[in-house]
Amino acid sequence: MADKFAELPEKHELALGQWLAAHAGVKAAFGANPVRIRSAVDDRSEMPCIQTGEDGFRPADRQGVAARVVTSRIHIWTRESGMILLKRIGGAVSGALTITDVDGVNNGFDVAGFRLVFGEMVLEKYMRDPTENVRHGVLDFEMRFEPAA
C-alpha cells in the first residue's frame, strides 16, 4: 500500500508552491512586492518570501482506506519595523491553505493523483528575528490525502 504514496512528497511540494504563488489572496498580501516562494531552499536574500519544504508524511489508514496525513511547515520572512506585512501574508497563506470548508469540501488545492480529504492550520506563530527588522512567521498545516479513484 505504501507504494501508492511514493510520489506524494514530490507532487505535494510542487502543487503547494504553485498554489500559493497563484492564489489571489497571497498575491494581494505581497502588495507591490513579487511573490517569492522558496521550495526547500534556505534563501532569504530577498524579502518578503515564503519558504516551503519542511513536510512530514505519516500513515493514516482508516477502515481499510489507505491515507497519509501531511504536515507542512511554512515559513514567512519579511524585513520591516513592525509585523504588519508578515501577518498580512500569514493571513493570506492561512486562507489559501485552510483547504476544506466545515463540510469537508475541498476549496481548490489539488495534488495530482491524490484526493484531499481534509486540511486545517494547526499552528500560527509570528516572531522577531535577532537580525534587525527581520520578522519570521511559522504556519503548520495538516492535510489528509487518499489515492485518487
Side-chain angles (χ1 to χ4, degrees):
M1 242 186 234
D3 60 304
K4 292 181 182 180
F5 295 97
E7 294 181 340
L8 181 58
E10 183 178 344
K11 287 184 175 186
H12 175 268
E13 185 63 27
L14 179 63
L16 182 62
Q18 290 173 343
W19 175 253
L20 290 173
H23 195 274
V26 173
K27 287 180 180 180
F30 269 77
N33 300 296
V35 177
R36 296 180 188 93
I37 309 288
R38 307 286 191 249
S39 176
V41 176
D42 192 15
D43 177 6
R44 291 170 285 206
S45 59
E46 296 179 293
M47 293 188 213
C49 68
I50 295 172
Q51 286 180 310
T52 64
E54 294 179 16
D55 305 310
F57 300 84
R58 67 180 189 275
D61 300 356
R62 282 193 198 150
Q63 300 173 341
V65 177
R68 292 291 180 272
V69 169
V70 178
T71 303
S72 292
R73 174 158 284 178
I74 298 183
H75 297 269
I76 302 164
W77 295 92
T78 64
R79 188 176 310 280
E80 59 184 316
S81 59
M83 292 190 169
I84 292 172
L85 179 60
L86 177 68
K87 291 180 179 179
R88 182 181 307 134
I89 294 170
V93 169
S94 174
L97 290 178
T98 301
I99 299 169
T100 53
D101 65 16
V102 293
D103 296 320
V105 176
N106 183 349
N107 290 327
F109 182 65
D110 182 43
V111 176
F114 300 92
R115 183 172 75 88
L116 177 64
V117 179
F118 178 78
E120 69 177 350
M121 183 168 63
V122 295
L123 172 88
E124 178 179 30
K125 186 168 181 152
Y126 300 103
M127 302 155 278
R128 290 172 177 80
D129 191 88
T131 308
E132 186 176 342
N133 290 331
V134 172
R135 305 297 180 246
H136 181 200
V138 177
L139 307 175
D140 285 356
F141 295 87
E142 286 195 348
M143 300 168 235
R144 179 182 165 85
F145 290 93
E146 297 174 355

